[in-house]
């Protein structure tokens, strides 16, 4: 049970911001939101995670709504190399769940020149 | 560091054959996991380990065995391969305990076909 809903696919022009939405309406107070991506045939790659505050790192920004029922991953200046499937995952942070990530089908982001 | 390595990259088996998918990491990570990915699907957790000598089942454990005799290695065994096990298998590891928010590092995958 992935507990998240994402659009199947999205397009974005190179150089523009890519905004990938995720719904997690049943999220619990102790569950974090994680984003991973998978470039064709490769292993997934961690992007960012957050609890309730907005987060930013060198790859992306994560915006979580105040009620925490949805979030948006923002790639500020998308490049062709950002074409990938993006997974939004929620999980409780504990020793027993550390090794457990439940992936849904994700969003196929295609960046075009 | 080599990170997370998996061997073989590709494998073809006949129904009923057995084999072991190898996974190793040189980052001294305590936590390791195995996932499978079927075409057009997300990853599904098979088994995971929170440390040497400790393993547990994930979403789809049937048909697979694991063991964790060392911190570095986490092999996945198929005792009697079935066509339904045709998939891409990913191994992952997580840095040492202390911060349970740490992200997983994934290997490059093993593509298995069972005829």
């Amino acid at each position: 049970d992935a507990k998240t809903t994402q659009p199947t696919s999205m397009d974005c022009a190179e150089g523009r911001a890519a905004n990938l939405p995720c719904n997690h309406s049943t999220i619990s107070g102790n569950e974090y939101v994680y984003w991973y991506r998978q470039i064709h045939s490769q292993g997934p790659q961690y992007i960012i995670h957050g609890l309730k505050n907005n987060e930013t790192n060198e790859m992306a920004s994560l915006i979580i709504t105040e009620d925490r029922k949805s979030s948006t991953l923002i790639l500020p200046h998308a490049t062709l190399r950002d074409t990938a499937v993006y997974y939004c995952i929620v999980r409780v942070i504990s020793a027993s769940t550390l090794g457990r990530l439940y992936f849904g089908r994700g969003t196929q982001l295609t960046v075009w020149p | 560091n080599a990170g997370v390595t998996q061997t073989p990259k590709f494998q073809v088996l006949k129904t009923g054959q057995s084999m072991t998918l190898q996974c190793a990491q040189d980052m001294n990570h305590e936590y390791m996991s195995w996932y499978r990915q079927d075409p057009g699907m997300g990853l599904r957790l098979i088994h995971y380990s929170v440390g040497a000598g400790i393993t547990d089942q994930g979403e789809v454990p049937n048909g697979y065995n694991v063991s964790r005799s060392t911190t570095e290695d986490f092999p996945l065994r198929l005792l009697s391969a079935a066509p339904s096990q045709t998939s891409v298998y990913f191994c992952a590891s997580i840095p040492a305990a202390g911060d349970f928010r740490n992200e997983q590092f994934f290997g490059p995958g093993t593509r298995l076909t069972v005829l």
Side-chain angles (χ1 to χ4, degrees):
Chain A
D1 180 9
K3 301 184 66 173
T4 62
T5 304
Q6 300 177 251
T8 302
S9 63
M10 296 183 66
D11 293 337
C12 178
E14 189 176 21
R16 304 296 294 270
N19 297 287
L20 291 89
C22 179
N23 286 323
H24 30 80
S25 58
T26 61
I27 193 170
S28 301
N30 59 350
E31 287 183 308
Y32 280 69
V33 179
Y34 279 73
W35 284 83
Y36 281 75
R37 72 180 183 183
Q38 188 175 24
I39 297 170
H40 180 64
S41 298
Q42 299 180 20
Q45 175 190 24
Y46 165 81
I47 301 173
I48 198 167
H49 72 271
L51 180 62
K52 52 185 177 181
N53 297 323
N54 297 339
E55 301 287 345
T56 296
N57 63 19
E58 65 278 5
M59 289 183 68
S61 294
L62 174 60
I63 309 298
I64 303 174
T65 58
E66 192 169 344
D67 63 7
R68 302 210 325 121
K69 293 186 176 183
S70 65
S71 60
T72 301
L73 178 74
I74 301 173
L75 307 178
H77 304 287
T79 70
L80 299 179
R81 288 176 294 180
D82 292 323
T83 293
V85 177
Y86 287 77
Y87 297 99
C88 171
I89 301 162
V90 296
R91 59 174 279 248
V92 173
I93 303 300
S94 71
S96 64
T97 66
L98 187 57
R100 307 171 72 103
L101 283 180
Y102 292 97
F103 289 75
R105 297 198 177 196
T107 297
Q108 171 66 58
L109 174 68
T110 302
V111 181
W112 45 275
Chain B
N1 288 344
V4 180
T5 58
Q6 292 183 238
T7 56
K9 286 187 171 58
F10 302 93
Q11 182 69 49
V12 178
L13 292 177
K14 295 181 179 178
T15 296
Q17 285 186 314
S18 63
M19 81 159 295
T20 299
L21 307 185
Q22 301 291 344
C23 175
Q25 52 88 10
D26 60 357
M27 299 174 283
N28 199 31
H29 289 176
E30 291 187 17
Y31 301 86
M32 299 184 73
S33 306
W34 274 104
Y35 296 85
R36 62 176 287 174
Q37 186 173 33
D38 300 320
M41 303 286 289
L43 281 72
R44 291 185 293 169
L45 183 66
I46 305 172
H47 285 285
Y48 67 100
S49 169
V50 298
I54 305 169
T55 64
D56 206 345
Q57 296 181 350
E59 295 177 85
V60 288
N62 293 340
Y64 307 94
N65 283 347
V66 292
S67 59
R68 187 92 181 274
S69 57
T70 67
T71 299
E72 294 78 19
D73 300 297
F74 190 41
L76 178 72
R77 299 186 190 84
L78 285 71
L79 296 179
S80 179
S84 61
Q85 293 178 304
T86 294
S87 190
V88 181
Y89 292 84
F90 291 101
C91 179
S93 72
I94 306 172
D99 187 345
F100 300 142
R101 297 168 296 177
N102 284 336
E103 72 272 20
Q104 294 199 28
F105 292 80
F106 284 83
T110 293
R111 284 150 184 77
L112 175 67
T113 301
V114 182
L115 304 176

